[in-house]
Amino acid sequence: MLGFRSPKHISYRDLLAITNGFDCNPVGANNGRLLGKGAFGSVHLGIQNNQFTAVKRLMKDIMGVDKLFQNEVNSLLRVEHPNLLRMVAFSIDGPEPCLVYEYMSQGDLEERLSCKGRWEMPLPHLSRIRIAYGASKGLRHLHAQCPPLVHRDVKSANILLDKDLNPKLGDFGLVHLGASKDNNASALSITTVFGTSVYMAPEAMRGKLSVRSDVFSLGVVLLELLTGLSPFNADGKETDLFTYVSEECEDSIKPLLDCKAGNWLSNRDRDMSESIYSLAQDCLEHLEIKRPYMSSVEEKLSAILEL
């Protein structure tokens, strides 16, 4: 059942069986199955016939969780792309709604950059740029829909990595229909602000939403890839990464570069880190209209990889 490309319904009883009753011990400890926890639920490793999946169980008592569930299902039924996480099944016959995804064996980008727990090996700089490039391709696909889809929660924790470190953007519960570039207005007003604040564009904090809001968020991810620092407390004093880099760096990112990533020079001895930093600054423009579209971000990352 879990191998179908189009998502199918799976019973809650079957999910209990393949997750050891939604076991809450971390994967890697005592045969644990817990892959992670979030504001709206938990994700568990499912094993059936030597096939691995990731099962997200949403907390029923969270306000609006049913809408999040429907939003994620509807969004994933609309789009398919190699850099968007694929849903393989869903469940609505149990006490909590559940979603089943392809399993991403290398975890998420946030935990990989932290080099903690089972992820002690740092990501080299070329892998980091390829991850950013893949994420931009997935986002460009979302933004190319008609009307465009705005992810609203682009962050390193929602960029999942497969066995070959290919990135796939996940967590589509907050996806929102944006305004078309052909419309007179490039952004839509929303009544409820959702997302992760350290990644949110200024206009998104005010309830104004556009595809360029995702561009800002990806800009923060680019800073994470360059520095390896936490987006929440970059200086150890609870200063967010964007603010910290803005205060510490002017024209060069070199003082804050993550040395664990290795040498950022290209095979033509060009400094790829400065090119990435310049792109990040473009993405992080305060005014939404000054930011590039995701198509331009993708093209620039492609060009940097070809240096």
Side-chain angles (χ1 to χ4, degrees):
M1 178 178 293
L2 300 184
F4 283 96
R5 191 155 185 79
S6 297
K8 303 292 183 180
H9 186 268
I10 181 173
S11 73
Y12 191 82
R13 178 181 296 178
D14 286 342
L15 292 182
L16 286 171
I18 68 174
T19 60
N20 280 348
F22 290 106
D23 180 87
C24 287
N25 290 306
V27 167
N30 300 319
N31 196 32
R33 296 296 185 88
L34 183 66
L35 291 168
K37 286 185 177 180
F40 301 107
S42 54
V43 182
H44 303 259
L45 178 64
I47 305 176
Q48 182 184 41
N49 300 327
N50 294 320
Q51 289 186 329
F52 288 8
T53 53
V55 182
K56 179 194 286 187
R57 181 173 65 162
L58 297 169
M59 291 184 285
K60 189 66 176 177
D61 55 348
I62 298 294
M63 184 177 297
V65 73
D66 290 332
K67 183 177 180 180
L68 288 170
F69 175 83
Q70 288 297 330
N71 202 30
E72 184 142 7
V73 172
N74 293 337
S75 298
L76 290 173
L77 287 174
R78 282 190 59 186
V79 295
E80 185 174 326
H81 188 273
N83 295 112
L84 299 178
L85 190 64
R86 184 167 61 90
M87 179 178 64
V88 295
F90 61 92
S91 177
I92 54 174
D93 67 345
E96 301 98 7
C98 298
L99 296 157
V100 184
Y101 303 95
E102 58 183 320
Y103 175 60
M104 304 295 281
S105 63
Q106 293 298 302
D108 66 61
L109 180 58
E110 181 183 43
E111 60 186 8
R112 287 305 308 266
L113 289 173
S114 72
C115 294
K116 294 179 181 178
R118 56 192 178 119
W119 310 117
E120 296 180 357
M121 290 296 293
L123 291 170
H125 76 281
L126 280 176
S127 294
R128 299 183 189 208
I129 300 173
R130 292 188 186 106
I131 289 167
Y133 176 54
S136 72
K137 289 199 293 184
L139 284 166
R140 179 179 183 176
H141 185 72
L142 286 180
H143 295 174
Q145 304 304 304
C146 188
L149 295 175
V150 183
H151 187 278
R152 297 178 73 190
D153 201 16
V154 176
K155 57 183 179 180
S156 56
N158 284 339
I159 298 175
L160 294 307
L161 306 172
D162 70 10
K163 61 182 179 61
D164 299 314
L165 295 180
N166 295 313
K168 301 198 179 192
L169 193 65
D171 205 338
F172 294 83
L174 299 182
V175 165
H176 198 281
L177 294 177
S180 169
K181 285 187 284 186
D182 297 329
N183 290 359
N184 292 329
S186 63
L188 295 177
S189 295
I190 53 176
T191 56
T192 306
V193 175
F194 284 110
T196 306
S197 60
V198 296
Y199 293 91
M200 290 177 70
E203 72 277 3
M205 297 289 287
R206 301 190 299 268
K208 186 180 178 184
L209 192 66
S210 80
V211 292
R212 282 172 164 152
S213 305
D214 284 346
V215 172
F216 184 97
S217 301
L218 188 64
V220 178
V221 173
L222 292 179
L223 295 183
E224 288 181 81
L225 292 168
L226 287 166
T227 67
L229 296 173
S230 166
F232 302 98
N233 56 346
D235 63 350
K237 299 177 183 178
E238 298 186 358
T239 299
D240 69 88
L241 183 57
F242 175 50
T243 301
Y244 182 64
V245 172
S246 300
E247 293 174 349
E248 296 293 323
C249 300
E250 293 184 3
D251 298 327
S252 175
I253 192 66
K254 280 187 173 61
L256 295 180
L257 270 184
D258 187 359
C259 62
K260 299 189 300 298
N263 192 335
W264 286 85
L265 291 178
S266 72
N267 57 8
R268 299 180 186 178
D269 290 335
R270 295 190 179 182
D271 193 333
M272 304 173 84
S273 68
E274 296 296 359
S275 298
I276 296 291
Y277 184 49
S278 177
L279 177 58
Q281 289 176 306
D282 291 342
C283 294
L284 293 166
E285 282 282 357
H286 184 83
L287 292 177
E288 173 245 351
I289 196 170
K290 289 188 175 182
R291 287 178 224 137
Y293 284 107
M294 194 60 69
S295 56
S296 176
V297 175
E298 178 193 342
E299 290 165 5
K300 289 181 179 180
L301 285 168
S302 177
I304 292 170
L305 282 170
E306 292 174 0
L307 285 177

Short mmCIF file of all heavy atoms in Angstrom, two decimals, residues 1-16 18 48 55 69-70 73 77 87-100:
data_model
loop_
_atom_site.label_atom_id
_atom_site.label_comp_id
_atom_site.label_asym_id
_atom_site.label_seq_id
_atom_site.Cartn_x
_atom_site.Cartn_y
_atom_site.Cartn_z
N MET A 1 0.83 -1.21 0.00
CA MET A 1 0.00 0.00 0.00
C MET A 1 0.86 1.25 0.00
O MET A 1 0.54 2.25 -0.63
CB MET A 1 -0.92 -0.01 1.22
CG MET A 1 -1.81 1.26 1.32
SD MET A 1 -2.89 1.18 2.74
CE MET A 1 -3.97 -0.15 2.28
N LEU A 2 2.03 1.23 0.70
CA LEU A 2 2.82 2.42 0.85
C LEU A 2 3.67 2.71 -0.38
O LEU A 2 4.36 3.70 -0.44
CB LEU A 2 3.72 2.30 2.08
CG LEU A 2 2.98 2.12 3.41
CD1 LEU A 2 3.95 2.12 4.55
CD2 LEU A 2 1.93 3.20 3.60
N GLY A 3 3.63 1.86 -1.37
CA GLY A 3 4.47 2.06 -2.53
C GLY A 3 3.79 2.78 -3.67
O GLY A 3 4.42 3.08 -4.67
N PHE A 4 2.49 3.06 -3.58
CA PHE A 4 1.78 3.72 -4.66
C PHE A 4 2.26 5.16 -4.81
O PHE A 4 2.57 5.84 -3.84
CB PHE A 4 0.26 3.73 -4.38
CG PHE A 4 -0.40 2.40 -4.63
CD1 PHE A 4 -0.59 1.52 -3.60
CD2 PHE A 4 -0.81 2.05 -5.90
CE1 PHE A 4 -1.21 0.30 -3.83
CE2 PHE A 4 -1.42 0.83 -6.14
CZ PHE A 4 -1.63 -0.05 -5.10
N ARG A 5 2.34 5.63 -6.05
CA ARG A 5 2.77 7.01 -6.29
C ARG A 5 1.67 7.99 -5.90
O ARG A 5 1.94 9.03 -5.31
CB ARG A 5 3.16 7.18 -7.76
CG ARG A 5 3.85 8.50 -8.02
CD ARG A 5 4.74 8.42 -9.23
NE ARG A 5 5.49 9.66 -9.41
CZ ARG A 5 6.57 9.98 -8.73
NH1 ARG A 5 7.02 9.17 -7.82
NH2 ARG A 5 7.21 11.11 -8.97
N SER A 6 0.41 7.68 -6.23
CA SER A 6 -0.69 8.52 -5.81
C SER A 6 -1.05 8.16 -4.37
O SER A 6 -1.12 6.98 -4.03
CB SER A 6 -1.90 8.32 -6.73
OG SER A 6 -1.59 8.71 -8.04
N PRO A 7 -1.29 9.15 -3.50
CA PRO A 7 -1.57 8.84 -2.09
C PRO A 7 -2.86 8.05 -1.93
O PRO A 7 -3.87 8.33 -2.56
CB PRO A 7 -1.67 10.23 -1.44
CG PRO A 7 -1.95 11.16 -2.56
CD PRO A 7 -1.29 10.60 -3.76
N LYS A 8 -2.82 7.07 -1.08
CA LYS A 8 -3.97 6.22 -0.78
C LYS A 8 -4.28 6.31 0.71
O LYS A 8 -3.44 6.71 1.52
CB LYS A 8 -3.67 4.77 -1.16
CG LYS A 8 -3.29 4.56 -2.63
CD LYS A 8 -4.46 4.83 -3.55
CE LYS A 8 -4.09 4.56 -5.00
NZ LYS A 8 -5.21 4.82 -5.93
N HIS A 9 -5.48 5.91 1.06
CA HIS A 9 -5.83 5.88 2.47
C HIS A 9 -5.25 4.62 3.12
O HIS A 9 -5.24 3.54 2.54
CB HIS A 9 -7.34 5.88 2.68
CG HIS A 9 -7.72 6.00 4.12
ND1 HIS A 9 -7.95 4.91 4.93
CD2 HIS A 9 -7.86 7.09 4.92
CE1 HIS A 9 -8.25 5.31 6.15
NE2 HIS A 9 -8.19 6.63 6.16
N ILE A 10 -4.69 4.79 4.32
CA ILE A 10 -4.19 3.66 5.10
C ILE A 10 -4.85 3.73 6.47
O ILE A 10 -5.07 4.83 7.01
CB ILE A 10 -2.65 3.71 5.21
CG1 ILE A 10 -2.12 2.52 6.03
CG2 ILE A 10 -2.16 5.01 5.81
CD1 ILE A 10 -0.60 2.41 6.03
N SER A 11 -5.20 2.62 7.02
CA SER A 11 -5.91 2.61 8.29
C SER A 11 -5.00 3.01 9.44
O SER A 11 -3.78 2.78 9.41
CB SER A 11 -6.50 1.22 8.57
OG SER A 11 -5.48 0.31 8.92
N TYR A 12 -5.60 3.61 10.44
CA TYR A 12 -4.85 4.00 11.63
C TYR A 12 -4.26 2.78 12.31
O TYR A 12 -3.14 2.83 12.85
CB TYR A 12 -5.78 4.76 12.58
CG TYR A 12 -5.08 5.44 13.74
CD1 TYR A 12 -4.49 6.68 13.57
CD2 TYR A 12 -5.04 4.85 14.99
CE1 TYR A 12 -3.86 7.33 14.63
CE2 TYR A 12 -4.41 5.48 16.06
CZ TYR A 12 -3.82 6.72 15.88
OH TYR A 12 -3.20 7.35 16.93
N ARG A 13 -4.98 1.67 12.25
CA ARG A 13 -4.49 0.42 12.85
C ARG A 13 -3.19 -0.02 12.18
O ARG A 13 -2.23 -0.44 12.84
CB ARG A 13 -5.55 -0.68 12.71
CG ARG A 13 -5.09 -2.02 13.28
CD ARG A 13 -6.16 -3.08 13.09
NE ARG A 13 -7.37 -2.75 13.84
CZ ARG A 13 -8.48 -3.50 13.82
NH1 ARG A 13 -8.53 -4.60 13.07
NH2 ARG A 13 -9.53 -3.15 14.54
N ASP A 14 -3.13 0.10 10.86
CA ASP A 14 -1.90 -0.26 10.15
C ASP A 14 -0.75 0.67 10.52
O ASP A 14 0.41 0.25 10.63
CB ASP A 14 -2.12 -0.22 8.64
CG ASP A 14 -2.94 -1.40 8.14
OD1 ASP A 14 -3.06 -2.39 8.88
OD2 ASP A 14 -3.47 -1.31 7.01
N LEU A 15 -1.06 1.96 10.72
CA LEU A 15 -0.02 2.90 11.12
C LEU A 15 0.53 2.57 12.51
O LEU A 15 1.73 2.70 12.76
CB LEU A 15 -0.55 4.34 11.10
CG LEU A 15 -0.89 4.91 9.72
CD1 LEU A 15 -1.35 6.35 9.85
CD2 LEU A 15 0.30 4.83 8.78
N LEU A 16 -0.36 2.15 13.41
CA LEU A 16 0.10 1.72 14.73
C LEU A 16 1.07 0.55 14.61
O LEU A 16 2.09 0.50 15.31
CB LEU A 16 -1.09 1.32 15.60
CG LEU A 16 -1.97 2.44 16.15
CD1 LEU A 16 -3.22 1.87 16.80
CD2 LEU A 16 -1.18 3.28 17.17
N ILE A 18 3.05 -0.30 11.98
CA ILE A 18 4.35 -0.04 11.33
C ILE A 18 5.20 0.96 12.11
O ILE A 18 6.39 1.12 11.82
CB ILE A 18 4.16 0.45 9.88
CG1 ILE A 18 3.51 1.82 9.81
CG2 ILE A 18 3.37 -0.57 9.07
CD1 ILE A 18 3.44 2.40 8.42
N GLN A 48 7.63 -1.34 7.02
CA GLN A 48 6.74 -2.39 6.55
C GLN A 48 7.40 -3.07 5.36
O GLN A 48 7.72 -2.43 4.36
CB GLN A 48 5.39 -1.80 6.14
CG GLN A 48 4.38 -2.85 5.67
CD GLN A 48 3.10 -2.21 5.20
OE1 GLN A 48 3.12 -1.18 4.52
NE2 GLN A 48 1.97 -2.80 5.54
N VAL A 55 5.87 8.93 9.11
CA VAL A 55 4.45 9.08 9.43
C VAL A 55 4.27 10.28 10.35
O VAL A 55 4.76 10.31 11.48
CB VAL A 55 3.90 7.81 10.11
CG1 VAL A 55 2.41 7.97 10.38
CG2 VAL A 55 4.17 6.57 9.26
N PHE A 69 -4.36 19.81 8.00
CA PHE A 69 -4.34 18.50 7.35
C PHE A 69 -4.89 18.59 5.94
O PHE A 69 -4.27 18.13 4.97
CB PHE A 69 -5.15 17.51 8.19
CG PHE A 69 -5.31 16.15 7.56
CD1 PHE A 69 -4.31 15.20 7.69
CD2 PHE A 69 -6.45 15.82 6.84
CE1 PHE A 69 -4.44 13.95 7.12
CE2 PHE A 69 -6.59 14.58 6.27
CZ PHE A 69 -5.59 13.63 6.41
N GLN A 70 -6.05 19.20 5.79
CA GLN A 70 -6.66 19.33 4.47
C GLN A 70 -5.80 20.17 3.54
O GLN A 70 -5.68 19.87 2.34
CB GLN A 70 -8.06 19.94 4.60
CG GLN A 70 -9.10 19.00 5.20
CD GLN A 70 -9.33 17.77 4.33
OE1 GLN A 70 -9.19 17.82 3.11
NE2 GLN A 70 -9.66 16.66 4.96
N VAL A 73 -2.82 18.03 2.35
CA VAL A 73 -3.26 17.02 1.37
C VAL A 73 -3.60 17.67 0.03
O VAL A 73 -3.14 17.22 -1.03
CB VAL A 73 -4.47 16.23 1.91
CG1 VAL A 73 -5.05 15.33 0.81
CG2 VAL A 73 -4.08 15.39 3.12
N LEU A 77 -1.57 17.12 -3.54
CA LEU A 77 -2.28 16.53 -4.68
C LEU A 77 -2.15 17.41 -5.92
O LEU A 77 -2.25 16.92 -7.05
CB LEU A 77 -3.76 16.33 -4.32
CG LEU A 77 -4.08 15.19 -3.35
CD1 LEU A 77 -5.56 15.21 -2.99
CD2 LEU A 77 -3.70 13.84 -3.94
N MET A 87 3.94 12.74 -0.65
CA MET A 87 3.04 12.03 0.25
C MET A 87 2.60 10.74 -0.42
O MET A 87 2.21 10.73 -1.58
CB MET A 87 1.82 12.91 0.55
CG MET A 87 0.80 12.25 1.46
SD MET A 87 -0.60 13.35 1.83
CE MET A 87 -1.32 13.54 0.21
N VAL A 88 2.69 9.64 0.32
CA VAL A 88 2.32 8.35 -0.26
C VAL A 88 1.02 7.80 0.30
O VAL A 88 0.40 6.90 -0.29
CB VAL A 88 3.45 7.31 -0.07
CG1 VAL A 88 4.68 7.72 -0.85
CG2 VAL A 88 3.80 7.11 1.40
N ALA A 89 0.57 8.32 1.44
CA ALA A 89 -0.68 7.83 2.04
C ALA A 89 -1.16 8.82 3.09
O ALA A 89 -0.41 9.70 3.53
CB ALA A 89 -0.49 6.45 2.66
N PHE A 90 -2.43 8.66 3.49
CA PHE A 90 -2.99 9.47 4.56
C PHE A 90 -3.98 8.62 5.34
O PHE A 90 -4.43 7.57 4.87
CB PHE A 90 -3.67 10.73 4.01
CG PHE A 90 -4.82 10.46 3.08
CD1 PHE A 90 -6.12 10.36 3.56
CD2 PHE A 90 -4.59 10.28 1.72
CE1 PHE A 90 -7.17 10.09 2.71
CE2 PHE A 90 -5.64 10.01 0.85
CZ PHE A 90 -6.94 9.92 1.34
N SER A 91 -4.33 9.07 6.53
CA SER A 91 -5.25 8.30 7.37
C SER A 91 -6.20 9.25 8.10
O SER A 91 -5.75 10.24 8.69
CB SER A 91 -4.47 7.46 8.39
OG SER A 91 -5.36 6.78 9.25
N ILE A 92 -7.50 8.93 8.04
CA ILE A 92 -8.49 9.78 8.72
C ILE A 92 -9.49 8.94 9.52
O ILE A 92 -10.52 9.45 9.95
CB ILE A 92 -9.27 10.65 7.70
CG1 ILE A 92 -9.90 9.79 6.60
CG2 ILE A 92 -8.37 11.73 7.11
CD1 ILE A 92 -10.79 10.57 5.65
N ASP A 93 -9.17 7.67 9.76
CA ASP A 93 -10.12 6.82 10.47
C ASP A 93 -9.73 6.57 11.92
O ASP A 93 -10.31 5.73 12.59
CB ASP A 93 -10.29 5.48 9.74
CG ASP A 93 -9.04 4.62 9.78
OD1 ASP A 93 -7.96 5.16 10.12
OD2 ASP A 93 -9.12 3.42 9.46
N GLY A 94 -8.75 7.31 12.42
CA GLY A 94 -8.31 7.12 13.80
C GLY A 94 -8.52 8.36 14.64
O GLY A 94 -9.12 9.35 14.19
N PRO A 95 -8.01 8.38 15.86
CA PRO A 95 -8.19 9.53 16.75
C PRO A 95 -7.43 10.77 16.30
O PRO A 95 -7.77 11.89 16.69
CB PRO A 95 -7.67 9.02 18.11
CG PRO A 95 -6.77 7.88 17.76
CD PRO A 95 -7.34 7.26 16.54
N GLU A 96 -6.37 10.59 15.50
CA GLU A 96 -5.62 11.73 14.96
C GLU A 96 -5.45 11.55 13.45
O GLU A 96 -5.21 10.44 12.98
CB GLU A 96 -4.23 11.86 15.60
CG GLU A 96 -4.22 12.03 17.09
CD GLU A 96 -3.98 10.72 17.83
OE1 GLU A 96 -3.70 9.71 17.15
OE2 GLU A 96 -4.11 10.71 19.06
N PRO A 97 -5.56 12.63 12.69
CA PRO A 97 -5.26 12.54 11.26
C PRO A 97 -3.76 12.34 11.06
O PRO A 97 -2.94 12.89 11.80
CB PRO A 97 -5.73 13.89 10.71
CG PRO A 97 -5.66 14.83 11.87
CD PRO A 97 -5.96 14.00 13.08
N CYS A 98 -3.41 11.54 10.06
CA CYS A 98 -2.00 11.22 9.82
C CYS A 98 -1.67 11.34 8.34
O CYS A 98 -2.53 11.11 7.47
CB CYS A 98 -1.68 9.80 10.29
SG CYS A 98 -1.93 9.51 12.06
N LEU A 99 -0.42 11.67 8.07
CA LEU A 99 0.10 11.75 6.71
C LEU A 99 1.35 10.89 6.62
O LEU A 99 2.18 10.89 7.54
CB LEU A 99 0.44 13.20 6.36
CG LEU A 99 -0.74 14.17 6.33
CD1 LEU A 99 -0.26 15.61 6.54
CD2 LEU A 99 -1.47 14.06 5.00
N VAL A 100 1.50 10.17 5.53
CA VAL A 100 2.64 9.28 5.35
C VAL A 100 3.46 9.77 4.15
O VAL A 100 2.92 9.96 3.06
CB VAL A 100 2.19 7.82 5.12
CG1 VAL A 100 3.40 6.90 5.04
CG2 VAL A 100 1.25 7.37 6.25
#
